[in-house]
Amino acid sequence: MTAPSRLPAPSSTPTFAILDLAALEREGAAWDDLVSRAMDPHPHYSRHVLATHRAAGLAPDDLRIVVVRSGVRLDAVLPFRSTYDLCGLGRPVAQPFLSPFVTASLPLVGDGPDWPATLAALVAGLRAASGGRPWRWPLLATGTRLGQALCAAMKADGWALGEVEAFARPMLDRRPSHDAFVTDHPHRARLKDLRRRQRRLSEGGHLTLETATVGDALAAAVETFLALEKIGWKGAAGSAMACRAPHAAFARALFSGGGGPVSARADTLARDGRPLAVSLALLVGGTVCLLKTTYDEAERAGAPGLVLEAEIVRVLHETAFAERLDSATLAGSALESLYPDRETIAEIVAVPDGGRGLVSLKRRVRLARFEHAAKAGAKRRLAESAMAQRLMGRH
């Protein structure tokens, strides 16, 4: 009897390589397999999401990616690019791939007994990818198992790391029941206020929560989102997704299927069939990562966006469609009063030469902080100017 054929056993020593996106897409099955077994997974560096970025013109075909493999098995993936900023002092620095829709930058790393060796190979790949120059790394979950291990692996390889800034991102780990969630919530007055606002919204008609995960219903929910966001302040400012053709194309393609281990979800709060708020999200590895939420600004007093998110929390506990909700927000999110758990998200500067080069790590960190302060000041002045224009328009 002929013995059945088997795939080659993984190599005992993981090795790194630097590929472009088109080349890695040819290993789609292996890439999907990595996402399925990744520790601390997120959807942003999955095959489907990066391919959708490329199709929408938000990522180039030759986007470079550090990969680690053991034989035919992919063990780690991190897309990156070279960029210029203050902390590079005129020379390029490396940065994980980011877009307006990427909210996490941990690499995808396969879980299992070999992951310390995988991280060692990944760190060697990071050094090669930047040509020994620094990495500026925003949106890094430094408190997770992988985040801590990655930072430790870089330090073990002689890197110096400095934190530019950090914030606590709202998360929600599913409790045994919704009653348990409410009972243990640190802001129960906020939950009471949301119930009051929900009753206020329902005075005008029957409220429903509609969820779409596949097919025409999902596509229709995306179109509803694009239309609702465009009639609000983002549409007036030109920043709504529907105002930018690549962004609208990205949303439509992302929620059109073909996601492998990444699935999509759209939740709509409606009153007598008229949408009041829409939330778009991606699900991977038991975690739902919010992508975008919008609401009818004419109903602002009823806080339909937050009421929708509270309803999603209720359904999470009733149906157990995930283990965790990731707000995917920056600091100061309204979800801080609804999601009781936190995950530290930091920006770091990582220097392969241990900070012994001509420019010290401390100076690079100071320059990055100065850049943040300058951008925050410009953003604040723009907001004040927009507010003044709105006030003038009322008189």
Side-chain angles (χ1 to χ4, degrees), residues 162-209:
E163 184 177 280
V164 178
E165 64 175 9
F167 67 96
R169 173 174 285 172
M171 313 288 284
L172 194 159
D173 293 315
R174 180 163 56 86
R175 273 52 173 180
S177 67
H178 190 252
D179 286 343
F181 165 78
V182 172
T183 299
D184 296 336
H185 201 283
H187 305 291
R188 294 179 65 181
R190 182 54 166 158
L191 299 183
K192 183 178 180 180
D193 175 66
L194 288 176
R195 289 193 294 271
R196 179 182 63 80
R197 291 176 185 268
Q198 184 172 2
R199 289 194 297 270
R200 180 173 180 175
L201 289 172
S202 66
E203 290 174 356
H206 180 59
L207 289 183
T208 57
L209 175 65

Side-chain angles (χ1 to χ4, degrees), residues 116-186:
T118 298
L119 281 183
L122 176 62
V123 169
L126 299 179
R127 183 189 292 270
S130 69
R133 290 187 287 271
W135 280 73
R136 184 168 177 180
W137 204 312
L139 300 175
L140 181 64
T142 54
T144 65
R145 180 168 65 123
L146 176 56
Q148 292 175 342
L150 176 63
C151 291
M154 286 192 283
K155 291 177 180 178
D157 193 51
W159 295 49
L161 276 62
E163 184 177 280
V164 178
E165 64 175 9
F167 67 96
R169 173 174 285 172
M171 313 288 284
L172 194 159
D173 293 315
R174 180 163 56 86
R175 273 52 173 180
S177 67
H178 190 252
D179 286 343
F181 165 78
V182 172
T183 299
D184 296 336
H185 201 283

